[in-house]
Amino acid sequence: MEKISINHLKTRYEIVSIRSITNHILQIVFKKNKPTIWGDIHLYTRDGREAAVLIGYKTLYRDEGQTVYLSKDERVFPEIC
């Protein structure tokens, strides 16, 4: 299973999937625990090697439990009143 860390901190979180929704929105599905802070995302392969760094995803766009959407342009999901 792939893992990520935020801002290159020691804690790594297991993910089910990670994908780009738009040029500025990223979707991450977590297996169990998820971070409470956001920022640069370091993606690790199953054997622990760093595979990619996704820079600037510091804004929580939308939270759907184990699935979160992050934006790198400070957008948030519009709430309908």
Side-chain angles (χ1 to χ4, degrees):
M1 176 122 340
E2 294 175 323
K3 295 182 180 183
I4 65 166
S5 71
I6 306 299
N7 297 325
H8 220 359
L9 298 174
K10 287 184 179 184
T11 304
R12 293 187 182 179
Y13 302 89
E14 285 186 305
I15 60 170
V16 174
S17 65
I18 184 169
R19 68 185 181 118
S20 179
I21 300 298
T22 70
N23 288 339
H24 301 283
I25 306 290
L26 188 67
Q27 178 196 59
I28 306 173
V29 180
F30 289 90
K31 183 172 182 180
K32 293 182 182 179
N33 300 331
K34 64 184 181 185
T36 56
I37 61 164
W38 306 103
D40 296 341
I41 298 167
H42 296 258
L43 180 63
Y44 299 92
T45 61
R46 290 179 181 180
D47 64 358
R49 288 182 288 151
E50 187 173 79
V53 179
L54 306 170
I55 297 173
Y57 289 94
K58 60 183 177 182
T59 304
L60 181 61
Y61 176 80
R62 186 175 185 174
D63 187 340
E64 297 178 342
Q66 293 308 108
T67 302
V68 297
Y69 297 82
L70 303 174
S71 75
K72 64 179 180 180
D73 63 358
E74 298 184 9
R75 288 186 211 179
V76 294
F77 188 74
E79 295 291 329
I80 299 173
C81 297

